[in-house]
Amino acid sequence: MAQSLNGKIVLITGASAGIGAACAEVFAEAGAHLLLLARRQDRLEKLAASLRSQHHIEVLPLQCDVRSLDQVRRVFETLPAEWQAIDVLINNAGLARGLNPIDQGNIQDWEEMIDTNVKGLLYVTRQVLPGMIQRQRGTIVNIGSIAGREVYPQGNVYCATKHAVRALSQAIRIDTNGKNIRVCNVDPGLVETEFSLVRFRGDAERAKKVYEGYTPLSPRDVAEVVLFCVQRPPHVTIADVLVLPTDQATTTIVHKTDSSSQ
Ligand code: NDP
Ligand code: 8X3
């Protein structure tokens, strides 16, 4: 039977768009109180206002760049007492930049992906996990990717960061074994979000092509999987999920009805 999330505290990183915003919606529907973290405060405020009025839950937006250890520390040092006992952490903030052969890679893009997808996840987890261990209760969901299981041409550093997320999910599970901490690694395939717009630095035409000719996952498809993982009874950990559009077999095999290419 599904566990109730009524009144639980759920922290979602990267909550201002895409999968993170969809997670905010499904967890709000389930009655959880939400800490929504991202850099774009205006979007967080708007989402928070809408969720509060629709679902009668508490929502606290947290403006923070997960790449900044100082900002992450400050967020948790200044967290109001009533928000400190975080039950669920969804490490979702992440991005890809560019699609280049590795010898032509842009080093700033590499830094941004590593700093966000790997170091950012670690900084936030380091703040939240000790409290979970102390309370002997907590669930961490790391949003990885099919790119954490396969490497595709020109995906090099993005794929490496998602392989790292996968390794860290396992590492957290191993290091907290016996402390009643559940760690779920959720690896989506192609999801239509702002991901490709960010990857291609605002080239909307190119970004749109990634999702043409088949039905990609929606952010809500992924959020519902995350919710399912979290709602399992306390003795059940869904350790690892790969969720794909039906038309996707691997990172490079996607059945498309037209000749559009990524
Ligand atoms: P979006 O671009 O739509 O959303 C990304 C979110 O991450 C935004 O809320 C953004 O907020 C936040 N974010 C990015 N950088 C930072 C930062 N430095 N500090 C805080 N927040 C940050 O993409 P998706 O929803 O698709 O991506 C969410 C996760 O899902 C990522 O980890 C991505 O790798 C993963 N994923 C995506 C897939 C896809 O096909 N879309 C497939 C598999 C995995 P803001 O800019 O306001 O800070
Ligand atoms: C996002 C999906 O295939 O572009 O992780 O890497 S993919």
Side-chain angles (χ1 to χ4, degrees):
M1 205 175 103
Q3 257 196 99
S4 167
L5 290 172
N6 227 12
K8 300 275 191 214
I9 299 178
V10 177
L11 166 59
I12 303 166
T13 73
S16 62
I19 296 168
C23 285
E25 275 164 24
V26 301
F27 280 83
E29 287 162 16
H33 299 312
L34 303 176
L35 290 164
L36 303 181
L37 184 151
R39 292 166 301 182
R40 286 172 291 179
Q41 177 79 358
D42 52 332
R43 286 200 184 202
L44 294 180
E45 296 282 5
K46 216 168 145 193
L47 179 59
S50 143
L51 295 177
R52 279 188 207 109
S53 71
Q54 284 180 72
H55 303 290
H56 309 291
I57 53 163
E58 304 288 324
V59 186
L60 184 64
L62 301 170
Q63 184 172 31
C64 175
D65 184 333
V66 297
R67 293 172 299 175
S68 161
L69 182 54
D70 283 348
Q71 286 187 31
V72 172
R73 279 190 174 140
R74 202 169 325 121
V75 157
F76 290 96
E77 278 164 14
T78 57
L79 205 55
E82 64 273 23
W83 284 99
Q84 286 178 11
I86 295 167
D87 296 290
V88 178
L89 165 61
I90 302 172
N91 276 316
N92 163 77
L95 82 177
R97 287 291 196 194
L99 200 54
N100 303 303
I102 198 154
D103 54 296
Q104 293 161 37
N106 177 312
I107 288 174
Q108 274 176 348
D109 288 350
W110 294 355
E111 313 261 37
E112 192 176 0
M113 289 187 276
I114 293 166
D115 289 351
T116 309
N117 302 357
V118 183
K119 291 168 71 178
L121 180 148
L122 282 168
Y123 294 164
V124 174
T125 304
R126 182 65 181 82
Q127 293 296 317
V128 176
L129 186 55
M132 288 180 165
I133 291 174
Q134 204 176 20
R135 293 185 294 278
Q136 293 264 307
R137 191 185 69 240
T139 302
I140 297 180
V141 181
N142 289 333
I143 305 298
S145 169
I146 188 174
R149 301 172 184 234
E150 293 173 29
V151 178
Y152 54 85
Q154 308 188 358
N156 44 64
V157 175
Y158 177 70
C159 296
T161 65
K162 290 298 179 175
H163 277 69
V165 170
R166 190 167 175 74
L168 289 171
S169 295
Q170 202 178 352
I172 302 165
R173 198 176 308 113
I174 290 168
D175 289 350
T176 60
N177 184 239
K179 297 185 165 70
N180 204 30
I181 306 296
R182 304 187 302 174
V183 184
C184 313
N185 192 82
V186 174
D187 287 338
L190 291 153
V191 192
E192 189 163 7
T193 64
E194 294 170 19
F195 178 85
S196 294
L197 200 62
V198 171
R199 170 171 248 174
F200 301 129
R201 293 194 178 276
D203 183 341
E205 214 38 52
R206 192 172 176 197
K208 204 167 105 216
K209 278 204 169 65
V210 176
Y211 309 109
E212 275 176 358
Y214 69 104
T215 307
L217 295 174
S218 70
R220 193 175 171 101
D221 292 329
V222 180
E224 286 174 356
V225 170
V226 173
L227 181 69
F228 178 84
C229 293
V230 173
Q231 282 181 323
R232 290 314 87 214
H235 68 288
V236 178
T237 291
I238 308 285
D240 210 0
V241 181
L242 175 64
V243 50
L244 301 175
T246 304
D247 282 324
Q248 181 172 21
T250 70
T251 50
T252 51
I253 302 174
V254 182
H255 178 76
K256 295 193 175 192
T257 54
D258 63 9
S259 58
S260 54
S261 67
Q262 292 184 33

